[in-house]
Amino acid sequence: MSTNVNKKAVQGVRYTDAQKKEVVDFVVSHNTASGRGGQAKAVSKFKISPITIGAWLKAAGVGKSLKAAKAPKAAKAPKAAKAPKAAKAPKAAKAPNAAKGVRPRYTPAEKKEVTDFVSDYNAANGRGGQSKAAEKFKLSPITVMAWLKAAGIKKAPKKLVKKASKLGTAGRPRKVAATPAVSGGITNKLSLLLSLSNQIAKAEAELAQLNSKFSSIKASL
């Protein structure tokens, strides 16, 4: 027996039930006589791994210090392979939530609704349509201003603003201070116009720079 077991241990061949029983019986006999140490002796005698002998003892229901060897348990019949589960249908993809910090895109119709509201409000009240639109539609005043500019809508006409400023409570006219006349001859007036023209050009240049910077920052978002 020992010669056959050693050769099979080297070759890695499976052991027969008779060979396993021989090793188990040796361990039981040694433990019966000495109380313990049968597994270590079997390792030395049969040149088999302690883990392998331990597995055989466990399969045979033999404890380390069990005095009587128990008959090995009958091998359990292999369980029938479970039928593979039917593949679940893929769930419908949910619409992605708007990412935080990303501004929603507005349709031309939505933009037109806002610009029309501003125009109607200014026509009725003289001014303030931009602020009211920002409050009503939950928009930034800068966004409303950009849409008005893109639609070619300027601020409320001066006549309407002037008329609204003259009206008091219940439509009563307010007292407006008279605009002081420009004194001097035609030369002084031309000089004043030239000065105002230069100021306007400078202001428009600064406004263009601000608009360019605003557009650049907005595009980077």
Side-chain angles (χ1 to χ4, degrees), residues 121-133:
Y121 189 93
N122 287 342
N125 300 279
R127 61 189 302 174
Q130 182 176 333
S131 300
K132 286 293 182 181

Side-chain angles (χ1 to χ4, degrees), residues 104-164:
R105 293 184 177 275
Y106 296 92
T107 63
E110 291 173 330
K111 295 178 181 180
K112 187 175 185 301
E113 181 183 2
V114 175
T115 55
D116 288 347
F117 174 85
V118 175
S119 297
D120 294 342
Y121 189 93
N122 287 342
N125 300 279
R127 61 189 302 174
Q130 182 176 333
S131 300
K132 286 293 182 181
E135 180 181 354
K136 176 180 174 64
F137 297 100
K138 308 300 182 184
L139 298 170
S140 166
I142 298 176
T143 301
V144 178
M145 180 181 67
W147 291 355
L148 292 171
K149 185 177 180 181
I153 300 175
K154 298 180 180 180
K155 293 183 178 180
K158 291 183 179 180
K159 291 183 179 180
L160 292 177
V161 175
K162 188 175 181 181
K163 181 178 179 182

